[in-house]
Amino acid sequence: SNFASTSGPDDPYRCWEFKELARQGNASEARTMLERVTKQVQPLMRRRRWRVKLVREFYPKNPNLLGLNVNRGAEIRLRLRPPGDPARFFPYEHVLGTMLHELVHNTIGPHNAAFYKLLDEITLEVETDM
């Protein structure tokens, strides 16, 4: 397994491992994007005390589905490639936005006002971290 961390393997507030779709082309590019996204949100996760066991690339049949948070952070699934075009990738900022959206689900289930307020807050935090 691959530890996506800039803070050492004993920091619990991070993404523990990530997994690209090996059967798709450009798997190494997918892996690089997952690694970059997980490193980017690391400081935020530490501040918020959020943990994610696995960040996994997925390519769902539903073209509108961009991400999924399973059991409040046990697993986050991210769509890296546009529907109908698995050879290409979404821009990094798009995937990072999806990751932030899914991280909010660690705390808030429904897409209500509190959800979007927290999403705005953490988006600003991550932009500041950059």
XYZ file of all heavy atoms in Angstrom, residues 49-108:
504
model
N -9.337 17.060 11.704
C -9.294 15.718 12.301
C -10.124 14.723 11.488
O -10.883 13.916 12.026
C -9.737 15.744 13.767
C -8.922 16.716 14.598
C -9.433 16.842 16.018
N -8.987 15.735 16.856
C -7.790 15.642 17.438
N -6.904 16.594 17.257
N -7.484 14.612 18.177
N -9.959 14.789 10.174
C -10.641 13.874 9.265
C -9.695 12.776 8.846
O -8.520 13.027 8.587
C -11.123 14.612 8.018
C -12.310 15.498 8.253
C -13.195 15.438 9.281
C -12.739 16.586 7.427
N -14.150 16.416 9.144
C -13.893 17.136 8.013
C -12.252 17.146 6.236
C -14.577 18.211 7.463
C -12.932 18.216 5.687
C -14.085 18.738 6.303
N -10.220 11.574 8.745
C -9.440 10.428 8.262
C -10.152 9.819 7.070
O -11.376 9.745 7.052
C -9.347 9.328 9.315
C -8.887 9.768 10.671
C -9.201 8.664 11.685
N -9.075 9.179 13.028
C -8.239 8.687 13.930
N -7.481 7.659 13.633
N -8.157 9.206 15.123
N -9.377 9.342 6.124
C -9.916 8.581 5.000
C -9.000 7.386 4.809
O -7.794 7.543 4.655
C -9.974 9.424 3.701
C -10.414 8.559 2.525
C -10.916 10.610 3.882
N -9.576 6.197 4.868
C -8.760 4.991 4.779
C -8.235 4.787 3.355
O -7.068 4.480 3.160
C -9.601 3.793 5.218
C -8.806 2.538 5.494
C -9.698 1.491 6.144
C -8.956 0.280 6.610
N -8.072 -0.338 5.649
N -9.120 4.969 2.354
C -8.746 4.681 0.976
C -9.350 5.719 0.043
O -10.539 6.013 0.130
C -9.252 3.281 0.592
C -9.060 2.828 -0.856
C -7.580 2.694 -1.207
C -9.769 1.501 -1.103
N -8.533 6.267 -0.843
C -9.024 7.117 -1.934
C -8.810 6.317 -3.207
O -7.687 5.935 -3.527
C -8.276 8.464 -2.012
C -8.790 9.296 -3.170
C -8.431 9.236 -0.702
N -9.911 6.065 -3.901
C -9.876 5.145 -5.030
C -10.452 5.821 -6.277
O -11.472 6.501 -6.195
C -10.717 3.920 -4.663
C -10.848 2.878 -5.745
C -12.044 1.959 -5.464
N -11.914 1.176 -4.264
C -11.352 -0.045 -4.228
N -10.859 -0.583 -5.318
N -11.301 -0.709 -3.113
N -9.796 5.618 -7.395
C -10.368 6.065 -8.650
C -11.534 5.151 -9.013
O -11.464 3.946 -8.815
C -9.331 6.008 -9.780
C -9.921 6.431 -11.120
C -8.992 6.245 -12.314
O -7.916 5.631 -12.174
O -9.378 6.713 -13.405
N -12.622 5.742 -9.531
C -13.691 4.902 -10.082
C -14.204 5.538 -11.372
O -13.946 6.703 -11.654
C -14.780 4.595 -9.053
C -15.800 5.675 -8.768
C -17.084 5.316 -8.349
C -15.510 7.027 -8.863
C -18.037 6.281 -8.063
C -16.461 7.998 -8.574
C -17.731 7.620 -8.175
N -14.862 4.719 -12.161
C -15.388 5.162 -13.454
C -16.818 4.631 -13.576
O -17.084 3.652 -14.260
C -14.488 4.638 -14.588
C -14.723 5.339 -15.912
C -14.305 6.652 -16.106
C -15.364 4.686 -16.960
C -14.523 7.297 -17.315
C -15.584 5.319 -18.173
C -15.160 6.633 -18.339
O -15.369 7.279 -19.538
N -17.750 5.296 -12.843
C -19.114 4.759 -12.762
C -19.878 4.920 -14.070
O -19.567 5.791 -14.885
C -19.750 5.609 -11.661
C -18.985 6.892 -11.682
C -17.592 6.534 -12.093
N -20.886 4.076 -14.261
C -21.736 4.148 -15.456
C -22.550 5.437 -15.483
O -22.794 6.001 -16.536
C -22.674 2.939 -15.500
C -21.964 1.659 -15.902
C -22.969 0.524 -16.136
C -22.294 -0.694 -16.751
N -21.222 -1.245 -15.877
N -22.985 5.895 -14.313
C -23.751 7.135 -14.218
C -22.835 8.316 -14.549
O -21.907 8.615 -13.806
C -24.320 7.280 -12.800
C -25.059 8.596 -12.597
O -25.006 9.505 -13.421
N -25.754 8.694 -11.484
N -23.088 9.016 -15.671
C -22.181 10.086 -16.100
C -22.183 11.294 -15.167
O -21.250 12.090 -15.184
C -22.725 10.473 -17.479
C -24.148 10.047 -17.481
C -24.225 8.848 -16.579
N -23.223 11.421 -14.332
C -23.305 12.565 -13.422
C -22.584 12.340 -12.098
O -22.439 13.270 -11.302
C -24.775 12.903 -13.139
C -25.517 13.230 -14.419
O -25.011 13.951 -15.273
N -26.702 12.665 -14.575
N -22.178 11.110 -11.853
C -21.545 10.790 -10.577
C -20.045 11.101 -10.643
O -19.320 10.544 -11.453
C -21.770 9.300 -10.259
C -21.465 8.847 -8.839
C -22.276 9.630 -7.809
C -21.756 7.356 -8.694
N -19.617 12.023 -9.790
C -18.209 12.463 -9.785
C -17.430 11.897 -8.608
O -16.210 11.767 -8.664
C -18.135 13.990 -9.734
C -18.734 14.738 -10.918
C -18.691 16.236 -10.663
C -18.004 14.384 -12.201
N -18.147 11.589 -7.523
C -17.464 11.096 -6.335
C -18.437 10.419 -5.396
O -19.654 10.529 -5.549
N -17.871 9.734 -4.418
C -18.664 8.990 -3.457
C -17.865 8.873 -2.169
O -16.659 8.593 -2.216
C -18.925 7.593 -4.037
C -20.098 6.783 -3.538
C -21.417 7.492 -3.844
C -20.092 5.413 -4.208
N -18.537 9.107 -1.052
C -17.912 8.914 0.250
C -18.622 7.733 0.910
O -19.825 7.787 1.154
C -18.047 10.187 1.102
C -17.343 10.084 2.440
O -17.341 9.034 3.088
N -16.759 11.182 2.887
N -17.884 6.663 1.166
C -18.443 5.439 1.729
C -18.204 5.430 3.237
O -17.057 5.554 3.687
C -17.787 4.189 1.083
C -18.388 2.912 1.634
C -17.914 4.241 -0.440
N -19.286 5.323 3.998
C -19.199 5.236 5.468
C -18.358 6.342 6.106
O -17.459 6.080 6.905
C -18.661 3.865 5.899
C -19.639 2.762 5.588
O -20.845 2.985 5.536
N -19.123 1.570 5.349
N -18.668 7.579 5.718
C -18.022 8.751 6.325
C -16.499 8.658 6.365
O -15.872 8.839 7.401
C -18.570 8.996 7.732
C -20.064 9.255 7.708
C -20.520 10.207 8.781
N -21.828 10.766 8.415
C -22.408 11.771 9.046
N -21.814 12.342 10.055
N -23.577 12.223 8.654
N -15.928 8.308 5.226
C -14.476 8.374 5.110
C -13.750 7.045 5.107
O -12.534 7.015 5.039
N -14.501 5.938 5.204
C -13.831 4.633 5.069
C -13.184 4.573 3.687
O -12.078 4.066 3.513
C -14.822 3.503 5.250
N -13.908 5.131 2.700
C -13.390 5.152 1.344
C -13.977 6.353 0.618
O -15.173 6.636 0.756
C -13.794 3.862 0.639
C -13.214 3.678 -0.729
C -13.633 2.344 -1.360
O -13.555 1.301 -0.668
O -14.060 2.359 -2.525
N -13.149 7.056 -0.131
C -13.633 8.094 -1.039
C -13.294 7.650 -2.444
O -12.163 7.264 -2.724
C -13.033 9.481 -0.713
C -13.702 10.052 0.547
C -13.222 10.443 -1.897
C -13.208 11.422 0.969
N -14.310 7.660 -3.319
C -14.105 7.302 -4.722
C -14.205 8.568 -5.557
O -15.132 9.353 -5.364
C -15.162 6.291 -5.170
C -15.057 4.989 -4.386
C -16.105 3.983 -4.794
N -16.165 2.922 -3.788
C -17.174 2.073 -3.665
N -18.214 2.161 -4.485
N -17.142 1.145 -2.738
N -13.254 8.739 -6.455
C -13.207 9.940 -7.297
C -13.198 9.563 -8.766
O -12.448 8.675 -9.174
C -11.930 10.746 -7.005
C -11.738 11.306 -5.600
C -10.364 11.931 -5.471
C -12.824 12.316 -5.264
N -14.013 10.268 -9.555
C -13.956 10.111 -11.004
C -12.866 11.056 -11.520
O -12.944 12.259 -11.335
C -15.301 10.473 -11.645
C -15.255 10.352 -13.176
C -16.444 11.002 -13.839
N -17.667 10.216 -13.781
C -17.958 9.218 -14.610
N -17.107 8.853 -15.549
N -19.099 8.581 -14.503
N -11.855 10.503 -12.147
C -10.756 11.295 -12.688
C -10.917 11.559 -14.180
O -10.283 12.450 -14.726
C -9.414 10.573 -12.473
C -9.059 10.139 -11.052
C -7.664 9.533 -11.029
C -9.163 11.294 -10.071
N -11.754 10.732 -14.834
C -11.854 10.773 -16.302
C -13.280 11.115 -16.732
O -14.235 10.639 -16.123
C -11.476 9.402 -16.882
C -10.098 8.906 -16.427
C -10.005 7.392 -16.591
N -8.890 6.816 -15.876
C -7.723 6.495 -16.421
N -7.514 6.719 -17.703
N -6.765 5.970 -15.695
N -13.411 11.922 -17.793
C -14.752 12.302 -18.253
C -15.542 11.088 -18.742
O -14.967 10.151 -19.294
C -14.485 13.258 -19.419
C -13.043 13.638 -19.338
C -12.345 12.544 -18.592
N -16.880 11.119 -18.560
C -17.724 10.037 -19.051
C -17.535 9.859 -20.562
O -17.465 10.836 -21.292
C -19.155 10.514 -18.752
C -19.014 11.629 -17.771
C -17.649 12.186 -17.923
N -17.429 8.621 -20.998
C -17.312 8.336 -22.420
C -15.944 8.626 -23.010
O -15.743 8.491 -24.209
N -14.989 9.035 -22.171
C -13.654 9.362 -22.686
C -12.578 8.980 -21.662
O -11.886 9.840 -21.127
C -13.582 10.862 -23.008
C -12.394 11.195 -23.899
O -11.590 10.284 -24.214
O -12.257 12.365 -24.269
N -12.440 7.682 -21.382
C -11.534 7.248 -20.311
C -10.053 7.474 -20.603
O -9.228 7.314 -19.714
C -11.847 5.752 -20.165
C -12.421 5.349 -21.469
C -13.140 6.551 -22.007
N -9.714 7.868 -21.828
C -8.308 8.144 -22.140
C -7.884 9.530 -21.638
O -6.698 9.807 -21.504
C -8.073 8.032 -23.640
N -8.865 10.391 -21.381
C -8.565 11.750 -20.925
C -8.813 11.893 -19.432
O -9.445 11.041 -18.813
C -9.425 12.755 -21.691
C -8.896 13.050 -23.086
C -9.662 14.145 -23.828
N -10.006 15.280 -22.975
C -11.262 15.595 -22.632
N -12.281 14.880 -23.031
N -11.491 16.637 -21.864
N -8.327 13.004 -18.868
C -8.539 13.291 -17.452
C -9.222 14.637 -17.285
O -9.016 15.544 -18.088
C -7.202 13.303 -16.705
C -6.598 11.949 -16.546
C -5.735 11.445 -17.505
C -6.902 11.160 -15.451
C -5.182 10.185 -17.377
C -6.353 9.891 -15.309
C -5.496 9.406 -16.272
N -10.002 14.755 -16.225
C -10.518 16.056 -15.832
C -9.340 16.925 -15.386
O -8.312 16.395 -14.955
C -11.480 15.927 -14.642
C -12.862 15.467 -14.998
C -13.411 14.365 -14.363
C -13.626 16.138 -15.938
C -14.704 13.943 -14.661
C -14.917 15.720 -16.250
C -15.454 14.620 -15.604
N -9.497 18.261 -15.450
C -8.453 19.125 -14.889
C -8.279 18.852 -13.385
O -9.246 18.490 -12.704
C -8.992 20.542 -15.117
C -10.102 20.415 -16.098
C -10.624 19.018 -16.001
N -7.067 19.061 -12.904
C -6.757 18.812 -11.487
C -7.727 19.542 -10.551
O -8.208 18.968 -9.575
C -5.306 19.233 -11.200
C -4.964 19.169 -9.737
C -4.777 17.941 -9.112
C -4.884 20.324 -8.968
C -4.485 17.862 -7.760
C -4.587 20.260 -7.614
C -4.397 19.032 -7.017
O -4.126 18.967 -5.678
N -8.003 20.816 -10.834
C -8.864 21.631 -9.958
C -10.259 21.015 -9.828
O -10.879 21.088 -8.780
C -8.990 23.064 -10.491
C -7.744 23.910 -10.333
C -6.557 23.454 -11.198
O -6.782 22.830 -12.273
O -5.412 23.703 -10.787
N -10.734 20.417 -10.912
C -12.039 19.753 -10.908
C -12.032 18.568 -9.930
O -12.956 18.396 -9.131
C -12.354 19.292 -12.341
C -13.590 18.473 -12.471
N -14.800 19.002 -12.826
C -13.804 17.145 -12.277
C -15.713 18.028 -12.853
N -15.124 16.903 -12.530
N -10.975 17.757 -10.012
C -10.866 16.575 -9.143
C -10.680 16.999 -7.684
O -11.275 16.420 -6.774
C -9.714 15.655 -9.616
C -9.541 14.471 -8.673
C -9.982 15.161 -11.039
N -9.885 18.044 -7.466
C -9.703 18.572 -6.107
C -11.039 19.049 -5.546
O -11.358 18.779 -4.380
C -8.678 19.719 -6.119
C -8.407 20.400 -4.780
C -7.836 19.426 -3.755
C -7.459 21.588 -4.970
N -11.835 19.721 -6.359
C -13.165 20.171 -5.933
C -14.055 19.013 -5.524
O -14.769 19.082 -4.515
N -14.004 17.934 -6.287
C -14.773 16.734 -5.949
C -14.284 16.144 -4.626
O -15.088 15.757 -3.772
C -14.670 15.673 -7.069
O -15.128 16.241 -8.298
C -15.506 14.446 -6.747
N -12.976 16.098 -4.453
C -12.405 15.567 -3.208
C -12.888 16.380 -2.003
O -13.283 15.812 -0.980
C -10.870 15.594 -3.289
C -10.177 15.093 -2.046
S -10.438 13.311 -1.801
C -9.422 13.034 -0.343
N -12.887 17.692 -2.126
C -13.346 18.549 -1.023
C -14.817 18.296 -0.726
O -15.221 18.191 0.434
C -13.105 20.023 -1.348
C -11.632 20.432 -1.428
C -11.505 21.878 -1.888
C -10.911 20.220 -0.106
N -15.622 18.176 -1.770
C -17.046 17.865 -1.631
C -17.217 16.558 -0.846
O -17.998 16.485 0.109
C -17.675 17.758 -3.023
C -19.127 17.399 -3.019
N -20.114 18.279 -3.374
C -19.757 16.232 -2.712
C -21.294 17.676 -3.281
N -21.104 16.433 -2.883
N -16.453 15.533 -1.245
C -16.578 14.235 -0.578
C -16.075 14.283 0.863
O -16.622 13.610 1.737
C -15.872 13.144 -1.379
C -16.465 12.897 -2.769
C -17.982 12.719 -2.784
O -18.540 12.193 -1.801
O -18.619 13.115 -3.772
N -15.043 15.089 1.124
C -14.549 15.216 2.501
C -15.603 15.824 3.423
O -15.696 15.449 4.592
C -13.272 16.054 2.546
C -11.987 15.322 2.167
C -10.835 16.316 2.031
C -11.634 14.228 3.172
N -16.410 16.760 2.916
C -17.469 17.345 3.742
C -18.426 16.250 4.227
O -18.931 16.300 5.353
C -18.237 18.456 2.987
C -19.415 18.972 3.824
C -17.308 19.613 2.666
N -18.616 15.221 3.394
C -19.498 14.110 3.788
C -18.937 13.306 4.966
O -19.660 12.504 5.550
C -19.778 13.181 2.602
C -20.760 13.735 1.621
N -22.021 14.173 1.970
C -20.665 13.928 0.277
C -22.658 14.608 0.892
N -21.863 14.476 -0.148
N -17.676 13.506 5.329
C -17.166 12.886 6.562
C -17.938 13.416 7.775
O -18.052 12.737 8.785
C -15.676 13.184 6.765
C -14.773 12.214 6.024
O -15.194 11.508 5.127
N -13.513 12.178 6.413
N -18.443 14.649 7.642
C -19.127 15.327 8.740
C -20.629 15.455 8.507
O -21.413 15.269 9.416
C -18.532 16.744 8.923
O -17.123 16.620 9.093
C -19.107 17.453 10.128
N -21.013 15.802 7.282
C -22.411 16.119 6.974
C -22.898 15.244 5.825
O -22.302 15.263 4.746
C -22.566 17.616 6.608
C -22.082 18.506 7.760
C -24.025 17.944 6.264
C -21.954 19.975 7.402
